[in-house]
Amino acid sequence: MTTPGVSLVSSGVNPNNSENFSSGVILFVYIITFLIGIPANILAFYTFCCKVCHKPAPIDILLLNLTLSDILFLAFLPFKMKEAMDNQLWNLPLPLCPITEFMFFTTIYTSILFLTGISVERYLSVGHPTVYRKPGRTIYAMVTSVAFWILSVSHCSVVFVMHYSNTSNTANTSQARTKCYEDFSHKQLSVLLPVRLEMFLVLFCFPFIICCFCYISLIHILSMRPKISRRRRLHAIGLALGTLLVFTLCFGPYNVSHIYGFWWKISPPWRVKATLLSTFNACLDPIIFFLSSSDVRSKLMHCLESFRAGLHRHDLDNKPEGS
């Protein structure tokens, strides 16, 4: 019998396509993402918290929420590391399975939505500066942030619906080796696949179109203004291309799997690979922070200078007397 969202795996069954994908590679990506993402996002979070507390601006509120999304993602990443270490088998307490998957997918879509909000802010700051400077826009940014979280959480709550549906058919898995949120019954797929298709359209496709429009328009506007310095123009182009690159490489394949699954009425086994690309987002977002905020750049330079000064003092303290 099959637990909803969790399939029992016997030692005599040949591994499926997702199991053939090297767990070592998955673990390596998780570790690299964690080691790079944690310090970078903590630095960004501290910077934006200071800005929002002293002089909040709409762009800072959006960047703060994007950072918070990445930190939540990284906080649950060790559970995914453990899963990869166990060859994609879920040997942790079973209730952690839906919670981990819920946070994993929710933060993917909150990142998409906040990246879209940032693109709109950047476009308005250059294309419509009068609208951008109107008072009260900070409140709009706060309301928008709450709406983004609610939109993502409400869609990704389907994870809990799938996991706890058909509980009367749930097998006793206390001693069983399991897989987390991968195999589904036909009844479950009839609910899950349309929701995934809607997530592709509402939470990926529409935001991607908005991002493309905002950044292409931004580049066009800057190119038509010769008084703008070449450095600022290249800075804006780098921000635009970086964001669109994150959308395409990190979020594109995973969301395309929703269309594939809806068309073929299955949950694609290669979703593991596609989702793995989304993991890199937590490493790439700090680059967007660096390009978007001069405060993050100054904080980073200050940290580097402090680290360099600390090393210099350490060398002086260990230097032999009289040398």
Side-chain angles (χ1 to χ4, degrees):
M1 300 179 72
T2 303
T3 303
V6 179
S7 62
L8 299 182
V9 180
S10 63
S11 59
V13 179
N14 291 327
N16 57 27
N17 291 335
S18 64
E19 288 175 316
N20 289 333
F21 187 62
S22 174
S23 296
V25 174
I26 297 175
L27 180 61
F28 176 78
V29 172
Y30 287 163
I31 292 175
I32 293 298
T33 301
F34 188 82
L35 293 178
I36 297 176
I38 283 291
N41 282 283
I42 288 178
L43 174 64
F45 185 77
Y46 172 74
T47 303
F48 295 132
C49 278
C50 292
K51 288 200 67 179
V52 169
C53 290
H54 289 86
K55 190 178 179 181
I59 188 68
D60 297 323
I61 293 172
L62 295 174
L63 286 168
L64 176 63
N65 278 274
L66 178 59
T67 310
L68 177 61
S69 175
D70 286 341
I71 291 176
L72 287 174
F73 175 87
L74 293 167
F76 282 84
L77 197 57
F79 297 131
K80 301 293 288 184
M81 294 181 191
K82 171 62 176 174
E83 183 184 36
M85 290 174 61
D86 294 334
N87 198 29
Q88 297 306 108
L89 300 175
W90 191 261
N91 292 326
L92 294 169
L94 195 58
L96 280 177
C97 166
I99 296 174
T100 300
E101 296 299 315
F102 169 76
M103 294 302 303
F104 197 79
F105 296 129
T106 297
T107 52
I108 286 176
Y109 285 110
T110 50
S111 293
I112 291 175
L113 293 173
F114 284 112
L115 286 172
T116 304
I118 292 168
S119 71
V120 173
E121 280 294 309
R122 285 302 178 189
Y123 167 69
L124 291 177
S125 67
V126 176
H128 303 277
T130 304
V131 176
Y132 183 75
R133 295 189 182 96
K134 280 186 176 181
R137 294 193 67 255
T138 301
I139 300 298
Y140 295 151
M142 293 180 180
V143 173
T144 300
S145 298
V146 173
F148 283 167
W149 281 104
I150 292 175
L151 190 62
S152 182
V153 166
S154 61
H155 279 83
C156 294
S157 61
V158 71
V159 171
F160 294 105
V161 175
M162 293 297 101
H163 184 82
Y164 292 109
S165 62
N166 298 327
T167 54
S168 60
N169 295 326
T170 301
N172 181 11
T173 59
S174 58
Q175 301 298 325
R177 306 178 71 198
T178 63
K179 291 187 69 68
C180 180
Y181 198 71
E182 188 162 319
D183 291 344
F184 306 94
S185 66
H186 291 296
K187 184 178 180 180
Q188 289 174 310
L189 288 176
S190 66
V191 175
L192 179 61
L193 296 180
V195 173
R196 285 180 176 176
L197 180 64
E198 182 193 2
M199 292 169 73
F200 167 79
L201 295 174
V202 176
L203 300 182
F204 173 76
C205 197
F206 187 55
F208 183 62
I209 293 173
I210 294 176
C211 259
C212 288
F213 169 79
C214 289
Y215 282 127
I216 291 174
S217 300
L218 177 63
I219 293 173
H220 175 71
I221 292 171
L222 291 176
S223 65
M224 299 297 290
R225 297 181 181 178
K227 293 184 179 180
I228 296 178
S229 65
R230 182 173 180 271
R231 180 180 179 181
R232 184 183 176 188
R233 189 179 294 112
L234 292 176
H235 175 84
I237 293 174
L239 175 63
L241 294 179
T243 304
L244 294 178
L245 183 66
V246 169
F247 257 96
T248 305
L249 295 182
C250 293
F251 303 127
Y254 165 67
N255 281 276
V256 167
S257 72
H258 297 342
I259 300 179
Y260 181 93
F262 182 81
W263 180 264
W264 294 105
K265 308 300 180 186
I266 62 171
S267 182
W270 47 269
R271 285 183 77 248
V272 174
K273 302 177 185 179
T275 306
L276 190 63
L277 292 173
S278 300
T279 305
F280 282 117
N281 173 62
C283 290
L284 296 177
D285 278 346
I287 298 176
I288 296 175
F289 304 151
F290 186 83
L291 292 173
S292 300
S293 175
S294 58
D295 292 89
V296 173
R297 292 194 294 272
S298 63
K299 284 285 185 184
L300 178 61
M301 297 305 298
H302 177 73
C303 289
L304 292 177
E305 288 296 330
S306 300
F307 180 72
R308 188 182 304 169
L311 289 178
H312 182 66
R313 287 195 300 270
H314 181 268
D315 291 339
L316 291 178
D317 292 339
N318 293 332
K319 187 175 181 180
E321 295 183 4
S323 60

